[in-house]
Amino acid sequence: MEIIKRNGIIVSSQPIVLTSGEKSYYYYDLKMVLADPVGATLVGELLYDIIAREFHAKSVGGLEMGAIPISTAIIIGSIRGSSSDGIRQFIVRRNVKTHGSGKKVEGYLVEPVVVVDDVMTKGNSVILAIEAVRNEGYSTSGVVLVIDREVPNNPVKDMVKCFSIFNHSDFKEYIDEKLKESQ
């Protein structure tokens, strides 16, 4: 939580446009958390625990860019201290390349499949990943996130089981204080 507060929350006096298209005066920039070896290790371990306990997943991944460092941390952590072969990774491309294999989904899809993401607001990125997995003939057992922004009526939560390490409410007081300071 402290690493996210220190490196992963941007507060601005000007509105920031989120991936969802909404505007906000704060932004969760977890790429900075996941670029830190301690942050990446902790996220990988915590998410792996949820994935192993709740889903017994064989593969994890999601939409590029947010899911790549998360799923990488998870698969590396999945073989530490374990006699298993670990969890496999897949990556969903936003746009299919016109050269090479031309795949929308790269890597391994082995059921049970779990989609991961850094932050979920409306769930658009997660839905794109779930649809790509379905188009490959697989189902998604669940979604695991670092932070759920807790937007009401999120359609992802009606589709699959969702778990997160943190919720926006865990950081609300901290963000509110930072917003007061920035004005």
Side-chain angles (χ1 to χ4, degrees):
M1 183 176 251
E2 292 306 313
I3 294 171
I4 292 173
K5 285 180 180 177
R6 184 175 59 246
N7 298 333
I9 299 175
I10 308 293
V11 175
S12 173
S13 59
Q14 300 297 317
I16 301 165
V17 179
L18 306 175
T19 304
S20 66
E22 291 187 4
K23 292 181 181 177
S24 176
Y25 289 93
Y26 68 93
Y27 172 71
Y28 290 107
D29 185 4
L30 297 190
K31 285 149 189 79
M32 295 301 294
V33 172
L34 293 158
D36 175 271
V38 174
T41 300
L42 290 171
V43 166
E45 289 173 356
L46 292 168
L47 289 180
Y48 173 73
D49 288 345
I50 295 169
I51 288 165
R53 179 183 68 243
E54 297 296 330
F55 302 106
H56 308 286
K58 300 285 187 204
S59 61
V60 296
L63 192 65
E64 64 179 3
M65 182 72 194
I68 294 172
I70 296 169
S71 57
T72 300
I74 292 166
I75 67 166
I76 291 169
S78 75
I79 59 169
R80 290 194 179 131
S82 172
S83 61
S84 77
D85 292 336
I87 296 175
R88 302 291 185 247
Q89 179 184 38
F90 67 92
I91 298 163
V92 177
R93 293 184 182 278
R94 281 191 188 276
N95 301 304
V96 176
K97 288 190 170 190
T98 57
H99 60 282
S101 66
K103 293 180 179 178
K104 177 84 173 168
V105 179
E106 299 283 355
Y108 297 93
L109 282 171
V110 182
E111 291 184 325
V113 175
V114 170
V115 169
V116 296
D117 205 357
D118 52 359
V119 179
M120 182 169 69
T121 303
K122 289 185 172 182
N124 297 337
S125 296
V126 171
I127 290 170
L128 288 173
I130 290 171
E131 288 173 352
V133 168
R134 282 185 184 159
N135 289 339
E136 293 292 320
Y138 296 86
S139 62
T140 301
S141 296
V143 171
V144 180
L145 313 157
V146 179
I147 299 175
D148 180 350
R149 283 182 66 117
E150 300 176 298
V151 172
N153 305 314
N154 187 316
V156 174
K157 294 179 181 180
D158 293 331
M159 297 168 71
V160 294
K161 285 178 30 175
C162 295
F163 291 88
S164 62
I165 300 172
F166 298 108
N167 292 308
H168 169 66
S169 55
D170 297 321
F171 298 100
K172 186 176 180 343
E173 185 177 317
Y174 173 81
I175 291 169
D176 288 347
E177 186 61 37
K178 291 294 181 185
L179 284 168
K180 285 179 191 171
E181 291 172 11
S182 72
Q183 295 175 357

